[in-house]
C-alpha cells in the first residue's frame, strides 16, 4: 500500500494506538502530522518517524476546540502542501458507574472524543471540499460504543455517537469524494490495561511475551501494530468505494459491524395500547431480546491451550 505524496493528520498519536497509526502511515509513504496534548510525546513520536526515514511534524494541541482543529489542518497544509486524510484517535477515560460519575467526568470525555472528532473532521472536510481532490476520514470507534460497557457511560456514548457520525458524514461528504469510516480497534494499550480481563495480556506484552494465538482470535486482541494496517488501507486510494462503515480489527480478526436495524416487527390495526404491547412482547417481538455489553470470550487456561 503506497501512500507516497499523501498527507495525514493523526490526533492523539504520541503513544499507543495513535503512535502505531502514525508510524505505519509514514512507513507507507505518507507525511504525518503527529498530534498529542503533551508536547514531549508529540515531538518524540515525530522524531522517531523521522529517524526511520519518514516525514512527520509534531503539533501539540488539545483537541476539542475549533481553534485546535484549525491549527492542525493549517499545520499540515503549511508544512506539506496538502491534506489527504484525517484520523481522529485522541481520547481519554474517566470510568465510573453512573451514580458516581460527575458532570466533569462526563463532559471531559465527550469533549475530547465526540467534540474533538466533530471539530477536526469538520475542518478537514472544509479543506477537502475547497481543494477539490477528495479525502479520507477515519474515526476511532470502540466495542463499547457498539455494545455498551460497564462503568463507561461517557466513553460508550461518545463512541456510539462517532459511529453515527460516520454514517451521517458518509452521506454528506460523498459528492466531494470524501469517504468516512470508523474503525473498532481492540489492542493492548494504556486504556485496555484498565480492563481486568485484558490486563494480564497487556502486562505480558510489556514484558516481551507474545499475546497467545487463542486470545488473538477469540478475544480479537493484539498489539497496536495489528490494528494500524486498517488505517493505512482506509487512507489509501484502494478504499475509495468503502464509506459509512464500522470495521473491527484486533489480533488476528478483521470484521464488519452491522448497522442498527429492525430485527422483528408486529402490526395492529388501529395502533397499540399498553396491554397489546405487553402481549406482543410475550408472544412475538420480545421472545428473544437483544444482548448488551461486551461479551467475554471463553479463553483456555492451560499453557498448552494458550500457545
Amino acid at each position: 500500500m503506497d501512500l507516497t505524496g499523501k498527507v495525514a493528520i493523526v490526533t492523539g498519536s504520541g503513544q499507543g494506538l495513535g503512535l502505531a497509526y502514525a508510524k505505519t502511515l509514514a512507513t507507507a509513504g505518507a507525511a504525518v502530522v503527529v498530534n498529542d496534548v503533551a508536547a514531549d510525546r508529540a515531538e518524540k513520536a515525530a522524531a522517531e518517524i523521522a529517524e526511520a526515514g519518514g516525514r512527520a511534524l509534531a503539533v501539540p494541541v488539545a483537541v476539542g476546540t475549533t481553534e485546535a482543529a484549525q491549527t492542525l489542518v493549517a499545520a499540515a497544509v503549511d508544512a506539506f502542501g496538502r491534506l489527504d486524510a484525517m484520523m481522529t484517535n485522541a481520547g481519554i477515560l474517566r470510568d465510573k458507574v453512573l451514580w458516581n460519575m460527575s458532570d466533569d467526568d462526563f463532559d471531559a470525555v465527550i469533549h475530547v472524543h465526540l467534540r474533538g472528532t466533530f471539530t477536526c473532521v469538520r475542518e478537514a472536510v472544509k479543506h477537502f471540499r475547497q481543494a477539490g481532490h477528495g479525502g479520507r476520514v477515519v474515526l476511532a470507534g470502540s466495542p463499547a460504543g457498539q455494545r455498551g460497557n460497564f462503568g463507561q457511560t461517557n466513553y460508550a456514548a461518545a463512541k456510539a455517537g462517532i459511529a453515527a457520525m460516520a454514517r451521517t458524514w458518509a452521506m454528506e461528504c460523498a459528492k466531494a469524494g470524501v469517504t468516512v469510516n470508523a474503525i473498532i480497534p481492540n489492542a493492548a494499550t494504556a486504556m485496555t490495561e484498565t480492563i481486568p480481563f485484558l490486563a494480564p495480556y497487556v502486562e505480558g506484552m510489556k514484558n516481551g511475551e507474545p499475546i497467545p494465538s487463542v486470545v488473538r482470535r477469540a478475544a480479537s486482541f493484539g498489539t497496536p501494530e495489528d490494528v494500524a494496517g486498517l488505517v493505512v488501507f482506509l487512507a489509501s486510494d484502494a478504499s475509495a468505494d468503502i464509506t459509512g462503515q464500522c470495521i473491527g480489527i484486533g489480533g488476528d480478526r478483521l470484521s464488519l459491524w452491522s448497522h442498527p436495524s429492525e430485527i422483528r416487527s408486529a402490526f395492529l390495526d388501529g395502533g397499540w395500547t399498553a396491554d397489546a404491547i405487553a402481549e406482543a412482547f410475550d408472544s412475538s417481538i420480545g421472545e428473544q431480546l437483544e444482548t448488551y455489553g461486551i461479551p467475554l470470550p471463553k479463553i483456555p487456561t492451560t499453557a498448552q491451550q494458550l500457545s
Side-chain angles (χ1 to χ4, degrees):
M1 199 67 65
D2 186 4
L3 300 183
T4 300
K6 305 284 188 184
V7 178
I9 296 171
V10 183
T11 68
S13 51
Q15 62 183 349
L17 278 169
L19 179 57
Y21 301 154
K23 285 184 173 180
T24 308
L25 285 164
T27 298
V32 183
V33 171
V34 177
N35 160 255
D36 199 279
V37 67
D40 57 341
R41 286 200 301 257
E43 290 164 3
K44 182 174 183 290
E48 290 175 0
I49 290 171
E51 288 167 8
R55 294 188 298 157
L57 171 69
V59 181
V61 64
V63 302
T65 66
T66 295
E67 292 74 20
Q70 291 172 338
T71 296
L72 287 168
V73 172
V77 176
D78 290 347
F80 303 117
R82 59 185 292 133
L83 177 64
D84 299 278
M86 169 66 77
M87 201 283 140
T88 55
N89 170 75
I92 61 172
L93 291 178
R94 298 289 187 272
D95 291 356
K96 289 177 184 174
V97 291
L98 171 62
W99 48 93
N100 289 332
M101 185 172 289
S102 69
D103 290 355
D104 288 344
D105 293 330
F106 185 86
D107 290 344
V109 170
I110 295 299
H111 180 79
V112 176
H113 286 275
L114 197 60
R115 197 168 191 271
T117 295
F118 162 67
T119 53
C120 287
V121 173
R122 180 179 60 185
E123 199 63 27
V125 169
K126 284 182 179 179
H127 173 79
F128 295 151
R129 285 168 52 84
Q130 184 177 18
H133 55 55
R136 300 285 179 267
V137 174
V138 185
L139 314 179
S142 168
Q146 303 296 100
R147 297 189 54 87
N149 196 33
F150 189 94
Q152 291 194 315
T153 293
N154 44 13
Y155 180 75
K159 292 303 190 183
I162 286 169
M165 289 195 298
R167 296 167 186 137
T168 300
W169 293 340
M171 293 184 285
E172 294 179 347
C173 298
K175 189 175 180 180
V178 177
T179 64
V180 186
N181 294 285
I183 65 170
I184 313 298
N186 195 16
T189 66
M191 284 190 174
T192 52
E193 71 180 344
T194 64
I195 302 171
F197 167 70
L198 297 173
Y201 304 114
V202 180
E203 187 63 29
M205 192 187 77
K206 289 180 180 178
N207 296 328
E209 302 170 11
I211 296 174
S213 61
V214 67
V215 176
R216 290 176 58 84
R217 284 177 171 263
S220 184
F221 188 72
T223 68
E225 290 70 26
D226 290 323
V227 177
L230 178 57
V231 175
V232 172
F233 169 66
L234 291 175
S236 75
D237 294 339
S239 65
D241 295 329
I242 300 170
T243 192
Q245 304 303 303
C246 290
I247 304 169
I249 190 167
D252 295 335
R253 183 188 300 174
L254 176 68
S255 59
L256 183 67
W257 283 83
S258 67
H259 293 182
S261 59
E262 294 178 337
I263 58 171
R264 224 170 282 119
S265 299
F267 299 90
L268 183 64
D269 291 340
W272 291 89
T273 64
D275 288 340
I277 292 170
E279 182 179 347
F281 262 84
D282 285 340
S283 62
S284 58
I285 68 166
E287 286 183 308
Q288 184 175 348
L289 298 178
E290 291 291 278
T291 62
Y292 51 90
I294 301 172
L296 295 180
K298 294 181 180 179
I299 305 294
T301 56
T302 68
Q304 182 177 8
Q305 288 172 311
L306 283 172
S307 62

